[in-house]
Structure formats: C-alpha cells, structure tokens
Amino acid sequence: MPSVDVMDETFLAVAPEVVAAEFAQPARWPVLWPDLRLEVMTDRGAQGLRWTVQGALVGSMEVWLEPVLDGTVLHYFLRADPAGPDGAPRPVSARRGAAEARRRQRAAKALAFACKDRLEAGRAPGEAPT
C-alpha cells in the first residue's frame, strides 16, 4: 500500500468534455502539480486521464470524469510514495505518509474548486450548464 493515498470527488455543473479539456493540456500540468512530472499512461478522452508520477512522489495519479445528471463528478486519485535520493519510491512512516496525504488532499480540493469556479463562472445556482 502506498504511503500517500488520496481520493477526492467534486461535482461540476459542466459537461465531461469541458472538464477533460482542462486536464488534457500537458503545458498546464506543471502549474497544477509543480513538484510532479507526469507521463500519460491512459488517455480516456472525456472520461479522463491516468498518469505515472515522478518527482517528489513516485506512483500513479488519475482524473476520472463521471457524467452525472447535468454535470460531471471529478474523481481524483493519487497513489504514491515519496521519492528517495535515487528517484525510486521510498515508503515512509505512517505518520509522515498521513501528513503528506492530508497536504495532497487539501491541494486536490483546492484544484477542484478552482476548476469549478473557472468552468462555472457566470452560472447562477440552479441554472442549467451552458
């Protein structure tokens, strides 16, 4: 089991294709995850992406986009261990792993809410997505 195991879900009142476009731009990845280097493992189009992760963490990350009602549930998964001096995964104590997981959970939620704010901008609560 990885030292850092993060899961998050956020509803966005926009179509999955619109959300997918936010994550399909490799030039944005260093802005979203500045200490991680990502390589696409699986590109599922409007259903999201799955990456291998290197850098501060070594493992895998996934954005799964699930159509729900008139929008999308953005599922985010990060399963990784901190990188050792040689770049290989190095499991850490439960305490350090939990601290890093909490930090990454807060970052994931901030990323999801920023995406939600940007993509839903100008939409009043209760209005259908544009």
Side-chain angles (χ1 to χ4, degrees):
M1 184 153 149
S3 301
V4 178
D5 192 2
V6 175
M7 294 173 276
D8 185 67
E9 296 178 332
T10 305
F11 179 79
L12 290 83
V14 294
E17 296 80 13
V18 175
V19 182
E22 287 288 300
F23 295 100
Q25 304 169 36
R28 286 191 37 86
W29 300 343
V31 174
L32 299 173
W33 301 285
D35 61 343
L36 303 178
R37 292 186 316 278
L38 308 178
E39 184 176 325
V40 174
M41 185 184 332
T42 308
D43 183 345
R44 296 185 307 257
Q47 293 179 330
L49 288 160
R50 181 185 232 177
W51 299 274
T52 57
V53 175
Q54 294 184 354
L57 299 173
V58 179
S60 67
M61 184 167 67
E62 178 177 358
V63 169
W64 169 43
L65 306 172
E66 178 185 16
V68 175
L69 300 172
D70 62 350
T72 305
V73 174
L74 165 61
H75 300 272
Y76 173 83
F77 303 95
L78 173 63
R79 294 181 181 98
D81 286 304
D86 60 354
R90 186 180 71 193
V92 294
S93 70
R95 185 177 187 170
R96 285 194 59 213
E100 181 65 13
R102 282 191 302 276
R103 187 175 82 77
R104 297 289 176 166
Q105 287 166 340
R106 287 188 300 273
K109 191 50 88 175
L111 183 148
F113 281 154
C115 188
K116 182 176 182 66
D117 289 345
R118 189 172 44 262
L119 297 179
E120 292 182 6
R123 179 187 157 275
E127 275 186 10
T130 55

